[in-house]
Every structure is written in C-alpha cells, then in structure tokens.
Amino acid sequence: MNNSNLELDRVPANARSKALRACLLCSIIQTPQEFRRNGCPNCEEIIQIKSSTERIASCTTTYFEGIVTVVDAEHSWVARWQRIAKYTRGVYAVRVKGRIPEDVEAELDSRGIKYRPRDQTEQD
C-alpha cells in the first residue's frame, strides 16, 4: 500500500482545536460539528447523537488523554489493545474520562453488550 495515497477522511478537520470531543462509548475524536452532522461513525445506532446538541454533550467529552490514529484497524495491534479493531479508521483517544448516560447503558445491556468505560479503570 502506498502511504501517499492514504486518505484519513475521519481525521478531524481542525485537529488542533480545543473543541474536540471524544465519544464516551468508542473514543473516536471529532469536532462537535462533525458529531452533529454525521453522528458517531461507530455507535450512532445506539447513542443517536446526530443533530442533537444535548446528546452530544452527554455522550461525548472534552476530557481525554492520548491520541492514536487508526488506518487499518483489522491489522493493528494498537487497535486490538484499545478495543477498537472493529471500528472505522480515524483518530481515537487512548483514555476517555466520563461515563455514558444510564439510558445508553441500559440499551447496551438490552442488546447483551457489556459496557466498559474507556478511562482504564476496569481492566480486561
């Protein structure tokens, strides 16, 4: 694969912005405008934040540490380590501070999905 041909269409347009937010469920980093316009590329079906300023505020956070860029998640040991190997390529936070709202956690539970916070307080 030629690295010069890689397109990181999921990289936030203004990566230096202090307004970047990380999804509390998958840890992808985007601007609030990108979350509002497109929702979360990994979790939209569950958290439904597209076009909802209130939902963006409750399901994303500005408090995160470290950044990894994932281009080929399926073959990346970092993506496996971060539990994002099944997610879309993009920029992800290594650690995210905060918890998803109770209704989102209940939705995950009803689907048989165990919620694991991304702040590394619960280790595998």
Side-chain angles (χ1 to χ4, degrees):
M1 178 185 285
N2 183 344
N3 287 340
S4 64
N5 291 332
L6 289 177
E7 289 184 38
L8 284 178
D9 55 347
R10 297 284 183 198
V11 174
N14 186 0
R16 292 187 172 183
S17 172
K18 292 185 189 261
L20 293 176
R21 301 188 69 86
C23 175
L24 289 169
L25 193 52
C26 73
S27 77
I28 196 163
I29 298 171
Q30 298 187 127
T31 64
Q33 296 80 11
E34 290 168 317
F35 278 117
R36 192 175 310 111
R37 184 175 45 251
N38 305 316
C40 177
N42 300 306
C43 315
E44 187 59 25
E45 181 183 332
I46 297 169
I47 61 176
Q48 301 170 4
I49 61 176
K50 186 176 182 180
S51 302
S52 173
T53 304
E54 180 182 311
R55 203 69 167 159
I56 292 167
S58 66
C59 293
T60 68
T61 182
T62 58
Y63 300 105
F64 57 87
E65 297 176 12
I67 295 176
V68 294
T69 301
V70 177
V71 177
D72 185 1
E74 187 178 318
H75 295 100
S76 167
W77 70 267
V78 173
R80 287 191 302 274
W81 169 62
Q82 284 295 115
R83 299 186 325 263
I84 57 175
K86 302 277 188 219
Y87 294 154
T88 186
R89 66 185 180 168
V91 178
Y92 290 83
V94 173
R95 205 181 212 185
V96 178
K97 184 178 179 184
R99 290 188 65 94
I100 58 172
E102 288 180 11
D103 64 314
V104 174
E105 196 164 350
E107 174 67 21
L108 290 170
D109 191 46
S110 74
R111 294 176 182 222
I113 302 169
K114 181 183 177 344
Y115 171 60
R116 294 188 297 201
R118 293 201 164 265
D119 60 5
Q120 298 179 346
T121 55
E122 290 183 19
Q123 296 295 322
D124 292 320

